Structure formats: structure tokens, C-alpha cells
Amino acid sequence: MTATILDGAKVAADIRRETADAAAALASRGFVPGLSVIVAGDDPASQVYVRNKEKSAREAGIRAETLRFPATVTEAMLLAEIGRLNADEEVDAILVQLPLPGGIQSSRILEAIDPAKDVDGFHPVNAGRLVQGKRAPVPCTPAGIMELLRREDVPLRGVRAVVLGRSDIVGKPMATLLTKADATVTVAHSKTRDLPAICREADLLVAAIGRPAFVTAEFIRPGAVVVDVGINRIATAAEVARCFPGDEAKTEAFAAKGSLLVGDVHPADVKERASRYTPVPGGVGPLTIALLLSNTVDLCRARRRL
């Protein structure tokens, strides 16, 4: 069996075009959606993500600003900044880029965001509303996955789904959304007994465990749909040989760059076992940014009761 790709990049591009049209319609009525991003410290990956988010927001017609703080920033300073953004009528959406510098409780920072401006959907109020089936911003990665599955006509009603990972950011909301779509959902994790066997029961397997190429052939039922949420950087020749056996192009790319990206699913195994899968990169990643923009526009509409 040779799996076909679920093209997250294409679906994300469609969502971004739709979001730009929606933002333009709001602007014609005098409302320009506003997104404020807080980033603290000098984590290189965070800096890259934030630049991409800001650029994408502006391309979609969203007023975007990035507020940068040094690694020495205090919790009190961040709380004060969030309080200011909560009170600013021009700001519709607030995002705090994680991780934060050591010594700062991320939970306190995230819970200080006005739930009506919580673009990531991480606030406990919004998490609770999501579980209850009420209107709330949905965490961007699970929301993007659901859009991908819907637009690619992947059936969910009655299917057996396994979500591998139980994080507040992906695993838990993903399980909630799949349950609402009438899938029968199991949440598995590193402490699950006989983990490969549990995953092999899935018609739909969502891998979000944060381990490079952890999900191998023994985890995947032949013909399953596999969604790979992981983005991991591998930096040794042995890892490259394990993840991309016999792939000369990847070997050459590693020699030139010194590292490669790989998901949580073994890229060679998934192609042989799954019916459809998301690649890394180019699968789930673009969807996350697209849904951040879509959520921003939705929050702007909701705040203004449009």
C-alpha cells in the first residue's frame, strides 16, 4: 500500500484566502481585526514562529503587533502588559508565545488573558466551554486538523480514533473535537499499556507525543488515516538513517544543513501502512497558523456582535 498525502499546506492556503476576504469585509465596516503577540526571552524557534505569524497576519489584513520582552522580564511585568491589552478596544486577540523564561508560571499568564481575546483557546473558561459544546475559540492546531479532515472528506462519524498525546494544547482538545464529530475516541500516552496495540485499533490516528519518528509500522493499522502533529529536529547521522533509510536526498540535505525535521510518525513506515497521512513539514504546521488568523477574525466579529 502506498499512502496519499493529506495536503495541509493547500488547505491552509484556502483558509488564509477565506480569512483575508472576511477581514476585508470587516474593514469595510470600520473594524480591522487586531492581533497582539507577546514573546519573552530569546528562544530561536519562538522568534521564527512569531515572525511568521506576524507576516501571515498582515498578509491577511489583520493589524498585528509583536511585543518583545527580554529573558529578564518578570511575571508582574507580563501580567501588567496583558492587563493593558485586555483593556485596549483595538486588540481583538492576544497570543502569548510559549515557552516563557524560567521562573514564570505560564498558567498564570495565560489565565490573565480576557477569554474574549484568547486566540489560542487555552484559557480555562474557553477549555470548559469547548467541552460543553458552547461557542469558544478552539486551540489552533486541533481546529486546523478538523478543517483538514472535513475539507479532505475524511469520515469521522462512527470511526475508531486514537489520539496519541494528552497535552492541553493538542491532545485533550483534539479528543473533544473528534468526540463531538461522533468518532469513538481513545486518548493514549506514554504510560498506556501495550501502546502499539491500542494505536493499531485506530481508523484515524493523531500522533502528538513529541518524540521523533516514535510511531512506527507496528502502531499503524493498514489503511488507517494518520495525522502527524510532531515537529522534531534530528541532528545525528544515525537518526537520519533510521528515519529516512536509503533516502539519498535526505542524507544530502542533512549533510548540507546539519539537521532535518521529522514528525512523531516514522516517515517511511507511514507511507507503507497508512491510506492517507500528513507529511512533516507541510502538513499540520501551516494549518496552525491559518487557524490563528481565522480565530482572530472570529474574535473580532464576536466582540462586536457582528
Side-chain angles (χ1 to χ4, degrees), residues 37-260:
V37 179
I38 293 175
V39 58
D42 53 6
D43 180 75
S46 291
Q47 298 294 337
V48 172
Y49 293 151
V50 167
R51 282 198 298 272
N52 288 340
K53 289 172 181 175
E54 187 175 22
K55 178 176 180 289
S56 297
R58 288 177 174 164
E59 289 174 350
I62 293 169
R63 182 191 300 111
E65 64 171 348
T66 300
L67 306 165
R68 291 182 168 82
F69 293 86
T72 54
V73 67
T74 65
E75 193 171 283
M77 292 168 65
L78 291 180
L79 290 172
E81 185 62 23
I82 289 172
R84 183 187 70 80
L85 295 173
N86 284 341
D88 189 338
E89 284 301 312
E90 296 300 312
V91 175
D92 296 295
I94 301 170
L95 181 149
V96 176
Q97 182 68 40
L98 302 177
L100 292 171
I104 295 177
Q105 294 184 51
S106 299
S107 59
R108 286 197 66 194
I109 301 302
L110 296 176
E111 289 175 22
I113 298 172
D114 180 349
K117 297 187 177 188
D118 171 32
V119 73
D120 268 330
F122 294 162
H123 194 284
V125 168
N126 288 327
R129 291 181 65 84
L130 179 65
V131 170
Q132 292 180 343
K134 296 179 179 177
R135 184 179 178 86
V138 180
C140 300
T141 298
I145 292 169
M146 293 301 291
E147 277 296 304
L148 174 66
L149 297 175
R150 182 179 69 82
R151 294 176 187 234
E152 291 289 321
D153 296 318
V154 175
L156 296 178
R157 178 173 294 177
V159 307
R160 181 68 184 272
V162 173
V163 178
L164 179 53
R166 51 179 170 175
S167 71
D168 294 336
I169 295 173
V170 178
K172 291 176 184 176
M174 189 76 246
T176 298
L177 292 171
L178 288 170
T179 300
K180 288 173 62 178
D182 297 324
T184 300
V185 183
T186 297
V187 177
H189 45 80
S190 60
K191 303 298 188 295
T192 299
R193 293 180 183 176
D194 202 359
L195 185 56
I198 295 296
C199 291
R200 276 200 310 274
E201 295 176 0
D203 303 304
L204 169 66
L205 176 61
V206 180
I209 201 166
R211 299 186 184 182
F214 176 80
V215 176
T216 53
E218 64 175 336
F219 288 72
I220 304 169
R221 184 182 64 78
V225 175
V226 179
V227 176
D228 190 351
V229 181
I231 302 178
N232 310 286
R233 192 170 293 278
I234 55 176
T236 70
E239 287 178 306
V240 173
R242 179 177 78 87
C243 296
F244 303 101
D247 191 327
E248 294 183 5
K250 290 292 186 181
T251 301
E252 291 174 3
F254 171 71
K257 299 177 181 177
S259 66
L260 291 176

